[in-house]
Amino acid sequence: MGQKHWSSFHLQTKSLLWIIGITCALILACRYLELPYSNGIFSLLSTWKVPTLGSSTFHAIGPSPDDENVNKVKILNQPNSPVEHALEELRNPSEPNESLRFYDCDKSSVTESDKELGNVSATQQAGAENFTSRREDGSGRKIVSPLSSITKAISNITNAVLSHQDNKTNSVKEDSFRPPHNDGRTLHRNSKPKTNEASHILVPGVTTISEMNKLLLQSHASYRSERPRWFSAVDQELLQVRLEIQNAPIVKNDPNLYSPIYQNVSMFKRSYELMEETLKVYIYKEGDKPILHSPFLTGIYASEGWFMKLMEANKRFVTHDPNKANLFYLPFSSSSLVQALYVEGSHSHQNMIQFLHDYVKMIVAKHPFWNRTGGADHFLVACHDWAPEETKLNMAKCIRALCNADVKDGFVFGKDVSLPETHVRNELNPTRGLGGSLASQRKYLAFFAGRMHGYVRPILLQHWENKDSDMKIFAELPKSKGDMNYIHYMKNSKYCICAKGYEVNSPRVVDAIFHECVPVIISDNFVPPFLEVLNWESFTVIILEKDIPNLKSILLSIPKRRYLHLLMRVKKVQHHFLWHNKPIRYDLFHMILHSVWYNRVFSATYIDS
Ligand SMILES: *[C@@H]1O[C@H](CO)[C@@H](O)[C@H](O)[C@H]1NC(C)=O
Ligand SMILES: *[C@@H]1O[C@H](CO)[C@@H](O)[C@H](O)[C@H]1NC(C)=O
Ligand SMILES: *[C@@H]1O[C@H](CO)[C@@H](O)[C@H](O)[C@H]1NC(C)=O
Ligand SMILES: *[C@@H]1O[C@H](CO)[C@@H](O)[C@H](O)[C@H]1NC(C)=O
Ligand SMILES: *[C@@H]1O[C@H](CO)[C@@H](O)[C@H](O)[C@H]1NC(C)=O
Ligand SMILES: *[C@@H]1O[C@H](CO)[C@@H](O)[C@H](O)[C@H]1NC(C)=O
Ligand SMILES: *[C@@H]1O[C@H](CO)[C@@H](O)[C@H](O)[C@H]1NC(C)=O
């Protein structure tokens, strides 16, 4: 009897364990599946998203911002505050309103999380760590394997598990719709989304800045483009260069390069010198203005235009002999593309995607170079919010310098480059107004002003607008000529809050550096510019979105001495973020080119002659 009882109990326990085991295995499998698909196939497969939490997110081609699967996995790890909704217009210091300005200085803002200051819980970090470590190949997260139906089934189960586990699931569901890209109601930026759509989940999974640094190192160690189809001496040259960079002589004191702000100043310096000696860029001449060869030099998307203008005019790096080129530049403007081809209100990016598709097709048919590497030695520089989506199919293997550098939007570490977003206010003299007050005269602790784009800013305002006299957090500043109000605050605040808008990047990061205000980046999963080279934690404060309620205490907890260091380093890094009509060493033009170069050098493969 007792024996019988025991075995039936035993049996029950066994089946219970069995069920638990299967569930765990499925969850793990789910976690695992979406990770390893990288490089080559990802673009093709990426159209397959697994719709998960809601019906809402399944754009045919859309890079919907988050792979909900991934999100879910992360929810398991780290239930997190889902967010608000909200949105309304606000104004950035300068302009009157959106409709007036094509190039609005208000793009969204920025960034990422910080260990130093952001308070990342141990489990969160651990979870994220394990999660990210599997992605070291740098593939985009949204990728779903050909096994997507299995994944789907698993995700159904995961859903069920989650809905029991996590109350937040509901709110996530409500929030998980994001406008199919802010329907591009203006060429520029994201226009403001309709009513409730702007909100979007506060994705629980966050790749912290230190994890990004790790991913980048891993990518440079292991990510290699496909083998070229035939021999070219330039590939071997790049391999030689890579060795030289890896064995760079140690730099002690370089007057131009203040070592604490770099990942590794010795490698950077050597790589930069080798770029000067070696790099040759071929620029495709095909294509009509205005989408090709026609730079915009003002407004918030100006960085793609400045790069294009300076690249096309460059003598040192440009070659007219494509056989000598290490890199091939595709000189299109992502903002002109939207301006020319986006159909207002259509919510469709198809025209732009088609245009780029035709362009690449023409290049592929006309020249042999694309085919040699599948585009791996080709690059583009695009600042519009939609560029990641528009280029993720046809130009998947290219090195993409993108303002919208979002870990969750297909950014590939080791291949893609985070392009600074610069709001150029004076085309003839882009450095006019550089600088700000001395540290002792900076009377405001923190400053932010901007429209309520995206889900983060409403939270920021909710906690800090009119709450505290040290915190100058505004939805809108009174209009002023040349953004003078905005600039006044930038020049007189210790910390400038760069909160993401619709997309991760914001011109505020560079504005703050320009005016010597320490950037406080609040934009989870934003890959900061030139991460290959710069140590962002040395000169900025990076705070997790979830820590917005603690913003003031976090800032106050930074000792004065540390603040002065941050400020001094902001000044030291400033020259890397300046445009010049005639480029100078280490300026923004050269830094963009360098990051493209660096990624090429570290991903190049070759075949024997
Ligand atoms: C934009 O500004 C114009 C003129 O300043 C004004 O007529 C219009 O109502 C404003 N639009 C919005 C949405 O504020
Ligand atoms: C970080 O979080 C822990 C526990 O959640 C808390 O004890 C600690 O005070 C926090 N640190 C800061 C700087 O907020
Ligand atoms: C990460 O995963 C490994 C094995 O997959 C496990 O041993 C380790 O505990 C995990 N780390 C964390 C922090 O979860
Ligand atoms: C997932 O669940 C939905 C209903 O909840 C069902 O319609 C769908 O077929 C399931 N998918 C798979 C792959 O099992
Ligand atoms: C779920 O939310 C309800 C109400 O918000 C709360 O009473 C309940 O305790 C929550 N359950 C869990 C598991 O958090
Ligand atoms: C920087 O890189 C060089 C060359 O690889 C290496 O010798 C040196 O140890 C690195 N320095 C630091 C601080 O990592
Ligand atoms: C490149 O390859 C494609 C197909 O793979 C082919 O159609 C095209 O003609 C090739 N281009 C050249 C210039 O050979």
Side-chain angles (χ1 to χ4, degrees):
M1 192 71 179
Q3 183 72 338
K4 228 177 182 175
H5 218 119
W6 165 244
S7 42
S8 118
F9 172 73
H10 192 64
L11 211 69
Q12 279 180 20
T13 312
K14 251 173 120 173
S15 40
L16 191 64
L17 287 174
W18 181 234
I19 289 166
I20 292 171
I22 290 186
T23 311
C24 293
L26 285 171
I27 291 168
L28 284 175
C30 168
R31 244 176 117 156
Y32 195 76
L33 273 176
E34 60 219 2
L35 306 175
Y37 295 88
S38 63
N39 327 346
I41 44 173
F42 87 85
S43 56
L44 297 174
L45 299 170
S46 57
T47 48
W48 266 99
K49 283 223 169 121
V50 180
T52 45
L53 288 177
S55 47
S56 43
T57 350
F58 200 0
H59 311 307
I61 308 207
S64 88
D66 335 280
D67 177 345
E68 291 87 350
N69 261 325
V70 171
N71 295 343
K72 241 178 266 141
V73 166
K74 296 188 171 163
I75 291 170
L76 272 177
N77 286 340
Q78 25 184 349
N80 206 337
S81 38
V83 183
E84 314 265 295
H85 33 75
L87 54 127
E88 221 343 323
E89 293 256 340
L90 280 205
R91 194 41 274 177
N92 197 337
S94 40
E95 30 285 318
N97 67 34
E98 194 159 16
S99 53
L100 293 184
R101 257 229 201 169
F102 273 175
Y103 293 94
D104 172 348
C105 88
D106 190 37
K107 161 152 186 177
S108 22
S109 313
V110 193
T111 66
E112 191 27 57
S113 48
D114 181 351
K115 270 188 182 156
E116 207 172 349
L117 298 157
N119 197 356
V120 187
S121 74
T123 42
Q124 255 180 325
Q125 290 212 18
E129 198 125 21
N130 264 357
F131 173 71
T132 48
S133 63
R134 299 211 181 106
R135 292 183 303 128
E136 60 207 26
D137 54 20
S139 65
R141 269 183 192 183
K142 310 172 145 190
I143 291 115
V144 173
S145 76
L147 302 171
S148 64
S149 56
I150 299 174
T151 318
K152 256 187 237 183
I154 293 168
S155 90
N156 270 3
I157 293 163
T158 318
N159 264 338
V161 173
L162 283 167
S163 59
H164 284 291
Q165 282 198 346
D166 189 344
N167 263 350
K168 313 239 162 107
T169 310
N170 285 335
S171 19
V172 170
K173 198 180 286 175
E174 279 154 26
D175 282 340
S176 68
F177 182 80
R178 171 170 125 139
H181 272 211
N182 339 305
D183 53 308
R185 352 160 131 74
T186 14
L187 0 169
H188 9 345
R189 236 25 140 128
N190 324 296
S191 29
K192 99 179 165 193
K194 359 194 95 167
T195 23
N196 251 339
E197 301 170 358
S199 35
H200 127 76
I201 355 178
L202 178 55
V203 183
V206 175
T207 307
T208 63
I209 187 79
S210 50
E211 287 158 1
M212 288 186 199
N213 286 330
K214 260 187 239 165
L215 285 170
L216 195 57
L217 284 177
Q218 286 166 355
S219 301
H220 282 149
S222 63
Y223 174 86
R224 298 292 177 261
S225 58
E226 265 169 52
R227 285 163 68 80
R229 295 235 201 122
W230 60 86
F231 173 81
S232 163
V234 298
D235 297 333
Q236 276 173 320
E237 190 177 43
L238 290 182
L239 257 66
Q240 184 56 39
V241 162
R242 183 154 83 215
L243 278 177
E244 287 195 42
I245 296 172
Q246 283 166 337
N247 295 293
I250 301 299
V251 170
K252 288 267 160 55
N253 287 308
D254 185 301
N256 294 313
L257 306 175
Y258 180 68
S259 59
I261 63 174
Y262 301 99
Q263 302 272 12
N264 182 321
V265 69
S266 311
M267 286 174 76
F268 171 56
K269 184 171 198 285
R270 190 69 192 120
S271 173
Y272 191 95
E273 289 164 357
L274 289 163
M275 172 179 85
E276 291 179 321
E277 290 166 22
T278 316
L279 176 60
K280 290 294 168 217
V281 177
Y282 179 78
I283 305 174
Y284 284 109
K285 296 178 177 55
E286 291 82 0
D288 296 328
K289 293 181 177 186
I291 296 175
L292 287 121
H293 307 288
S294 179
F296 273 93
L297 301 178
T298 56
I300 55 171
Y301 294 120
S303 54
E304 64 179 22
W306 277 81
F307 181 85
M308 186 193 295
K309 171 183 123 133
L310 299 174
M311 190 75 244
E312 294 204 322
N314 194 282
K315 298 273 189 308
R316 175 166 204 159
F317 296 109
V318 173
T319 178
H320 297 287
D321 177 358
N323 292 302
K324 298 219 170 88
N326 321 94
L327 284 167
F328 295 79
Y329 175 43
L330 303 164
F332 70 91
S333 158
S334 62
S335 46
S336 301
L337 189 63
V338 174
Q339 192 168 13
L341 297 177
Y342 179 69
V343 177
E344 201 76 6
S346 68
H347 295 235
S348 164
H349 298 177
Q350 200 47 48
N351 291 347
M352 286 90 81
I353 291 168
Q354 188 63 44
F355 180 92
L356 292 179
H357 175 80
D358 294 344
Y359 173 62
V360 169
K361 211 166 131 189
M362 181 266 293
I363 296 286
V364 168
K366 199 163 167 187
H367 303 274
F369 312 107
W370 180 286
N371 279 0
R372 199 179 74 84
T373 59
D377 52 3
H378 286 54
F379 73 101
L380 59 96
V381 176
C383 195
H384 193 277
D385 298 10
W386 301 346
E389 180 191 355
E390 290 160 0
T391 56
K392 74 189 226 175
L393 285 176
N394 298 313
M395 302 177 176
K397 292 184 195 167
C398 301
I399 297 168
R400 303 179 306 162
L402 301 167
C403 286
N404 188 2
D406 185 344
V407 175
K408 292 193 176 275
D409 208 355
F411 185 90
V412 180
F413 285 96
K415 179 179 80 71
D416 295 333
V417 166
S418 174
L419 176 67
E421 187 161 311
T422 59
H423 182 196
V424 176
R425 293 182 171 80
N426 188 315
E427 180 182 333
L428 294 177
N429 184 2
T431 57
R432 198 172 73 176
L434 187 67
S437 301
L438 297 173
S440 57
Q441 289 160 3
R442 291 188 174 253
K443 52 193 170 202
Y444 315 117
L445 177 65
F447 164 65
F448 173 85
R451 291 184 177 188
M452 289 303 97
H453 291 169
Y455 63 89
V456 166
R457 296 181 188 180
I459 299 172
L460 179 68
L461 273 281
Q462 181 198 323
H463 284 94
W464 298 108
E465 186 182 26
N466 298 325
K467 296 285 193 301
D468 188 309
S469 60
D470 292 336
M471 304 290 283
K472 301 295 178 193
I473 305 295
F474 305 104
E476 191 165 9
L477 283 173
K479 287 179 206 171
S480 62
K481 190 160 174 261
D483 297 348
M484 283 321 289
N485 271 335
Y486 175 80
I487 289 169
H488 165 80
Y489 280 108
M490 284 251 160
K491 284 175 181 251
N492 291 289
S493 301
K494 289 189 171 63
Y495 297 100
C496 286
I497 312 298
C498 308
K500 76 185 280 187
Y502 294 127
E503 307 293 350
V504 289
N505 206 338
S506 160
R508 288 172 186 76
V509 179
V510 176
D511 278 344
I513 293 171
F514 196 92
H515 295 298
E516 295 159 9
C517 179
V518 174
V520 176
I521 297 174
I522 308 179
S523 177
D524 292 353
N525 297 308
F526 171 54
V527 183
F530 313 137
L531 190 63
E532 301 79 12
V533 169
L534 297 178
N535 175 6
W536 278 79
E537 288 173 294
S538 73
F539 60 92
T540 62
V541 177
I542 302 178
I543 291 180
L544 290 174
E545 292 165 8
K546 73 178 179 64
D547 288 328
I548 288 174
N550 308 323
L551 182 56
K552 186 177 180 190
S553 58
I554 291 170
L555 296 179
L556 288 178
S557 74
I558 299 171
K560 182 162 187 217
R561 203 180 129 77
R562 166 80 182 155
Y563 168 74
L564 293 174
H565 270 115
L566 290 169
L567 178 60
M568 185 260 286
R569 291 167 183 173
V570 164
K571 292 182 191 173
K572 297 286 188 187
V573 85
Q574 198 176 49
H575 67 134
H576 294 316
F577 289 93
L578 301 180
W579 292 115
H580 298 281
N581 277 302
K582 286 210 163 71
I584 61 177
R585 276 191 110 199
Y586 298 123
D587 72 358
L588 188 43
F589 168 72
H590 288 105
M591 290 299 286
I592 295 168
L593 195 59
H594 176 269
S595 278
V596 172
W597 151 261
Y598 195 77
N599 280 357
R600 179 61 193 149
V601 165
F602 277 88
S603 62
T605 38
Y606 82 108
I607 52 170
D608 294 321
S609 49

